[in-house]
Amino acid sequence: MSNFEFNFGNENVLSEQIIQQALYLREQLRHHNHCYYVLDNPQISDAQYDILFRQLLQLEKDYPQLQNPDSPTQKVGGEALSAFNSIEHRIPMLSLGNVFSQDELNDFERKIKERLETSSDIEYCAELKLDGLAISLIYENGLFKQGATRGDGTTGEDISHNLKTIRNLPLQLNTLTPPAILEVRGEVLMPKAGFHKLNAEAQQKGEKIFANPRNAAAGSVRQLDPKIAAQRPLAFYAYAVAQIDGQELPKTQYEVLQWLKSLGFTISDQIQTGIGAKFAAQFFAQIQQQRSQLPYDIDGVVIKVNELAKQQRLGIVSREPRWATAYKFPAELASTMLEAVDFQVGRTGALTPVARVKPVFVGGVTISNITLHNMDEIKRLDLAIGDTIEVCRAGDVIPKVTQVLHKAEQSQVITLPSQCPVCQSAIVQDEKGVIARCSGDFYCEAQVQRRLAHFVSRKAMNIDGLGERWLEQFLEIGLISNIADLYALTKEKILAKNIEGMGERLAEKIVNAIEQSKTTTLPRFIYALGIRGVGESTALALAQHFASLEAIQQATEETLKQVPDIGEVSAKWIVAYFQEPIHQQMIAKMQAAGVNWPAIEQRGTQPLTGQIWVLTGSLTAMGRDEAKTKLQQLGAKVSGSVSKKTTIVVAGAEAGSKLADAQKLGVTVWDEQQLIALLQEHQA
Ligand code: 5U1
């Protein structure tokens, strides 16, 4: 390979012979890695491989100038990180729509034909839907540069250090003419055999057992120390190219996969092409038969229009390609017994009933707790303790109670407690009688603990290392009693409490993470406060609208209602939050401790400020979410229902009852073209 770069510095003189020896060893190791991990066809024994590996390791130790991030020796894992970096995906990572039946599959095909304005047969590439973790990899001039998780599709986490340890993931592409940039998408997974071995070893050592291979893979790639990932039996399967620079891609998805294989990537060996929805259904049935014998977990198949030019014409809607869908296996069902219902207290005091069921294995995991959401759900299902119930779980979806299969003869009615199970304060019902809340507020330990957990969470203040276990203990021993107290913690104060399992390094790590969190952003800080009705997007809208915390603190219900997405109820909650003296003191204390954020520009009055828009039907040029965001950016409030106050209803294809409501109420109705023209006018 020509693109090795050696670090010529002031170290020992590096002879041409040593360089050639290192090049040779790397080439050999790469070749044998490929034979072993990708082709499943080893050509030398493990002992012979170890000799080559150790020779290279020794050379790189003797001549540090030789060290190179693309060397096969890097697969054992380098230095640990202190935190993950966020990575903005240059091309968003899409998700797939789902179909669950032949009818839905036919519908998927019908829409494709309509959009392509053709009655001709469509050729598909059918693949496995691997049950792992979606990953994006960037190669520059053939060398692995960066790998990231999907995250929210726009921003993921840089997990390059762990991905580099995956044996079948090429650090260097197997070509003399690599593209300048290549972004490959695929799945990291843990094969079933490796997963069972890992769990058996963990059980013996009394360590954490993973619920399923997917969790094990996710837990492995989200380790800060790559040496841990290096010991986990992970594999990467490529399934798409997101971008390529400096070269043309082949013309079909099938050929793209074969090309990726030629570059050294592992692709699934169950890939077929064929014509029409009938072929796709046959592939699905065939894979369903083979599912249990496959070496890894899958949760369905993926059907993609094979021709890339057609994919391009079909485009994307709401972050899902119109040219591909996941044909998912049906959710797995099991029956078990409802043993008890406990009530958990959330951050805002809301009580959530949780079913404690006789442990049952379903959808790849053992389930013993299932959320029942609220009392209405219990009523709807007619649930009582002692009943035999049906439990359903699909993929990584949270389990659900679907129905009562058999009523127990002496079942026990489930009643809402009149007092909080944690602080014994009175339980109050909301106006609609659906949500029950503990009225204990600051006196309820459960609420305080949940608020702290929310405050430190990743999307809020992102205080790494301070998990629920520590928060619970810190609260219990009086080290903290609210979020502001976190900023008064020092290593010495933590260590003085002699908490079991808390050493100097850990205390230092927590204090450093708290210190780092002081530099934040206004939307994050507002979100972290955990105000009722203020999720991430509302926090962002508040920050953008008012531009300063002081302005938000002084806002009235009327001014708050001007902010996109804030209605009467949330406006009341926000005002009530900032009027509470304890909240004012906590915020002042945190600011005095140094919590800060960069100033943001106030957006001022925007073209659609004060207007209420409703989107209905399917919008073809952009998804409804995208249209909503753009309208909000122009100051409009986008509502889910039509009323006399609605300014404009945008009706896309197949608009239903909302269009009829608008016509009844005499509200202006626009089509998608008018909306696009307006957005273009304002360059939104
Ligand atoms: N096999 C396969 N899985 N999978 C998942 N192909 C595939 N494609 C995907 C996803 C999310 O997304 C495409 C839009 C690239």
Side-chain angles (χ1 to χ4, degrees), residues 5 78 97 124 128 143 187 198 211 231 250 304 350 355 382 389 460 471 473 485 546 552-553 584 609 619 649-650:
E5 277 177 23
Y124 295 108
L128 301 183
L143 297 181
E187 208 88 354
L198 179 73
Q231 288 160 10
K304 295 176 183 166
D382 187 24
I389 55 174
L471 288 176
Q473 291 202 46
D485 291 345
F546 291 102
I552 301 171
Q553 285 174 303
Q584 291 169 5
T609 300
L619 303 179
V649 171
V650 180

Side-chain angles (χ1 to χ4, degrees), residues 94-96 127-130 134 150 185 187 239-240 253 302 304 321 323-324:
L94 303 176
S95 42
L96 291 169
E127 305 165 25
L128 301 183
K129 172 104 183 37
L130 302 167
R150 179 179 185 282
R185 301 268 161 92
E187 208 88 354
Y239 55 63
Q253 165 68 11
V302 181
K304 295 176 183 166
W323 43 266

